Amino acid sequence: CLIERNGFTKDDFNNRHPGGKLGSILQKVSDLMHTDAEMPLLNENSAMKDVLLEMTSKRLGCVGFTDNNNNLSGILTDGDLRRCLSKDIMQKKACDVMTKYPKTISKNAIATAAIKIMHDKKITNLFVVEDKKPIGVIHIHDLLNSGVM
């Protein structure tokens, strides 16, 4: 009764008890996402050589792509890459092989929502967007390592 009367929310609980199980379950995507230089991101017209280098150097198993307005336009995962391997793969651009309109999530979403999307769609990465612009990426291992699952 006191909790409701005082307007104590799940976010308040998480802020006061971040190390507990409920605190870990209530973490937001923004608490766990990779941002800035950690984010594997290129223009959709990038050469496959650059895509491979970006995917390898960022070690998240994916690369996100932006259009000329810096909106997220696609994703390529290491699994996608294996499925589209061909003799002429290196002559292609990212836009030729990327998955268009990737699944995304908001930075304010609870991390368990990211787990649900990843589980339901059988994917391991989600880009975090704000007004269609990528601001981060979250990997299933980030969720596992944080104790959310």
Side-chain angles (χ1 to χ4, degrees):
C1 291
L2 287 174
I3 289 173
E4 287 180 21
R5 191 173 113 211
N6 292 329
F8 193 79
T9 67
K10 290 179 182 179
D11 286 337
D12 294 324
F13 188 92
N14 186 30
N15 291 336
R16 289 175 176 78
H17 304 285
K21 185 62 178 168
L22 184 56
S24 65
I25 290 172
L26 295 174
Q27 290 182 88
K28 291 187 177 179
V29 168
S30 60
D31 298 328
L32 304 171
M33 69 184 186
H34 300 267
T35 60
D36 302 321
E38 294 180 359
M39 190 172 31
L41 195 62
L42 294 171
N43 182 277
E44 65 188 7
N45 292 309
S46 296
M48 286 306 295
K49 174 186 168 198
D50 296 326
V51 172
L52 294 173
L53 290 172
E54 184 77 355
M55 187 181 293
T56 302
S57 69
K58 301 297 171 77
R59 303 180 61 150
L60 290 174
C62 72
V63 178
F65 302 102
T66 57
D67 61 20
N68 291 331
N69 296 318
N70 292 321
N71 294 325
L72 186 69
S73 60
I75 188 172
L76 184 70
T77 67
D78 52 2
D80 295 334
L81 182 60
R82 285 191 300 276
R83 286 185 286 277
C84 73
L85 279 178
S86 64
K87 291 179 184 179
D88 65 342
I89 188 77
M90 297 307 283
Q91 283 70 49
K92 294 184 179 185
K93 293 182 187 177
C95 59
D96 298 327
V97 296
M98 70 184 191
T99 299
K100 294 179 181 174
Y101 314 111
K103 300 297 175 207
T104 62
I105 195 161
S106 162
K107 70 178 181 179
N108 296 319
I110 301 295
T112 53
I115 293 170
K116 178 160 179 30
I117 293 169
M118 289 181 189
H119 178 265
D120 292 349
K121 299 298 179 183
K122 296 179 178 31
I123 57 177
T124 58
N125 299 288
L126 276 176
F127 269 86
V128 184
V129 296
E130 196 169 74
D131 298 322
K132 300 182 183 179
K133 311 260 187 269
I135 60 168
V137 63
I138 190 164
H139 189 281
I140 191 77
H141 291 154
D142 303 321
L143 299 164
L144 289 168
N145 292 337
S146 72
V148 173
M149 297 176 65

